[in-house]
Amino acid sequence: MSPDLATITGRGTKRGTELMLLAFAVGIVLFAYANVGLAVEGSLPTDILTLGVGMGAIALVFHLVVRVVAAYADPVLLPAATLLNGLGLVMIRRIDMARGKGVMEGAAVRQLMWSAIAVAAAIGLLCLIRDHRRLRRYTFTFALAGLALLMMPLLPFIGMNINGNRIWIHVGPLSFQPSEVAKILLTIFFASYLVQTRDALSLVGKRVLGFPLPRARDMGPILLAWLTSLAVLVFEKDLGTSLLFFGLFVAMLYVATERRSWIAIGLGLFFSGCYLAYLLFPNFQNRVTLWLDPFAPGLSDQVARSLMGLAFGGLTGTGLGRGYPTFNYAEANSDFIMSSFGEELGLVGLTAMIALFAIIVERGLRIAIACRDGFGKLLATGLAFSICLQCFVVLGGITRVIPLTGLTTPFLSAGGSSLLANWAIIALLLRISDQARRPAVTEARPTLGSDDTQVVKIR
């Protein structure tokens, strides 16, 4: 069968599998919403068809576009992201019900609107970027744009300080968290930069106690990344973004060089920066105090309530619609949405949701392994790891593994900026996987400044 015919019919491209998984995902979302309505109101929600048609239309349009412009893309990413997005919508609507808000006045309708906008943006990105390797042409443009977005909340008039963190910008009636987009731009920059410099960064300098260290001249990039993360921590009081940014760079640096010494150096630099911030800033001291003692008097009780809600949910949970998320957490539909799920779905349901994130990360790493060029390998690895690290930071905060940071849970938390960024990550992974899985013949054509090979596609 020719590739063109395979694209149309879906045979050989796994598009039929993707369509069945999407139908299954939308069915799970509708079943969960029906459970919420029966538990809270004693009847099926009147807007269940609206939610079903909305989610189904969003998923179907994206599927049809992928079938045309990225026929060989990974068939699991889109259904997994759709299911997480839909479950987030269900929990946000459930919390609206608990607060006595109707369909049109709650956060769920805004989340559905942002879901449509985010998917439309992801479709546009997938159509615009037909070859991910072209992104390397704008390496330092992405770096400057990412740093500008990262520091934008510090600007007067538009920067917003919420709960001690200056991570939002406010323009007219809209608010936005620019660090969500910055992480994608900086991931592209990291991938492009490390592909060019990995040979030099892989060289070993002196050995200390038998441990190989990189050369002193090669310490510049990690020191610059450390200083930037410290600037975010010091000026924006944003531990989550600082940890995500620096952890992402160190992880990609290790993947590019395969030198464990970079991980040791990165951990040492980050913990020293955190200790310095603890000594200098009361806001950071409060977070550490809440981490060590969530029941400390005079401070926020959010972590304590999160732990109690998770304990109340137990192994199997109270059931959707039968918990008390609005009592336990002020930010039940955003920062603590995983606690809300843990209370009503229990450890079993929470583990299943974590498995969905693990599937997305695993597919991203599988794409990185299959990719034929070094830039694509590092980019897919960085995008997958950004989701992994963000989930770890969120779950670690609500379970007291690490101090609470205020990061949002990908696809689940209420808010448009997080949805836009994470659907853009899915679009980039789909584009890379399409080229990685598409039948092709490679010819070794050396390119200036790169050891990658160009791929000649058979059509």
Side-chain angles (χ1 to χ4, degrees), residues 138-387:
Y138 312 101
T139 299
F140 292 100
T141 302
F142 285 124
L144 292 175
L147 290 175
L149 286 172
L150 206 58
M151 298 302 173
M152 192 174 290
L154 298 177
L155 295 176
F157 304 113
I158 63 172
M160 300 173 60
N161 192 319
I162 300 177
N163 297 327
N165 296 336
R166 196 176 180 89
I167 59 177
W168 294 85
I169 60 173
H170 187 78
V171 180
L174 299 177
S175 58
F176 191 75
Q177 193 172 347
S179 60
E180 292 285 351
V181 178
K183 71 180 180 184
I184 300 177
L185 300 182
L186 291 174
T187 301
I188 298 173
F189 164 68
F190 293 157
S192 181
Y193 174 77
L194 291 173
V195 163
Q196 297 175 9
T197 60
R198 59 186 172 188
D199 292 335
L201 295 173
S202 300
L203 297 177
V204 176
K206 296 182 179 179
R207 292 181 176 268
V208 177
L209 300 176
F211 190 76
L213 295 177
R215 300 179 302 175
R217 73 182 74 172
D218 299 326
M219 292 287 290
I222 196 170
L223 289 176
L224 181 60
W226 178 63
L227 291 174
T228 304
S229 66
L230 274 185
V232 173
L233 185 61
V234 169
F235 296 109
E236 299 183 6
K237 310 296 188 297
D238 186 5
L239 174 62
T241 300
S242 177
L243 174 60
L244 179 63
F245 168 74
F246 189 66
L248 180 62
F249 178 75
V250 173
M252 294 180 68
L253 182 58
Y254 167 70
V255 171
T257 62
E258 300 181 5
R259 293 291 181 186
R260 287 172 292 180
S261 55
W262 285 118
I263 296 180
I265 293 170
L267 289 175
L269 288 173
F270 184 77
F271 285 125
S272 62
C274 288
Y275 181 69
L276 180 63
Y278 174 78
L279 296 177
L280 296 178
F281 304 109
N283 182 62
F284 195 72
Q285 293 173 7
N286 291 339
R287 288 184 179 271
V288 174
T289 302
L290 282 174
W291 173 49
L292 298 175
D293 182 11
F295 298 94
L299 297 177
S300 172
D301 60 351
Q302 291 296 294
V303 178
R305 289 173 179 264
S306 171
L307 295 174
M308 289 188 289
L310 292 172
F312 184 62
L315 184 64
T316 57
T318 61
L320 280 172
R322 298 184 182 276
Y324 305 93
T326 55
F327 171 77
N328 287 330
Y329 340 100
E331 303 295 336
N333 63 0
S334 56
D335 294 1
F336 289 90
I337 196 167
M338 289 298 280
S339 298
S340 303
F341 276 111
E343 180 182 355
E344 300 200 342
L345 296 181
L347 179 61
V348 174
L350 201 58
T351 302
M353 298 189 69
I354 294 173
L356 281 174
F357 285 113
I359 288 172
I360 292 178
V361 174
E362 185 271 338
R363 302 305 291 193
L365 296 178
R366 183 189 291 266
I367 291 167
I369 293 173
C371 192
R372 301 182 181 100
D373 64 286
F375 171 68
K377 288 180 181 292
L378 274 180
L379 181 57
T381 300
L383 294 173
F385 187 78
S386 68
I387 293 179

Side-chain angles (χ1 to χ4, degrees), residues 82-95:
T82 300
L83 180 53
L84 285 169
N85 196 164
L87 290 175
L89 275 168
V90 169
M91 180 54 68
I92 292 169
R93 178 64 190 129
R94 182 265 176 278
I95 294 169

Side-chain angles (χ1 to χ4, degrees), residues 13-15 17-18 21 73-79 363 437:
T13 63
K14 302 296 184 181
R15 298 277 68 81
T17 302
E18 180 183 77
L21 289 175
D74 187 280
V76 179
L77 284 172
L78 180 56
R363 302 305 291 193
R437 298 176 69 244

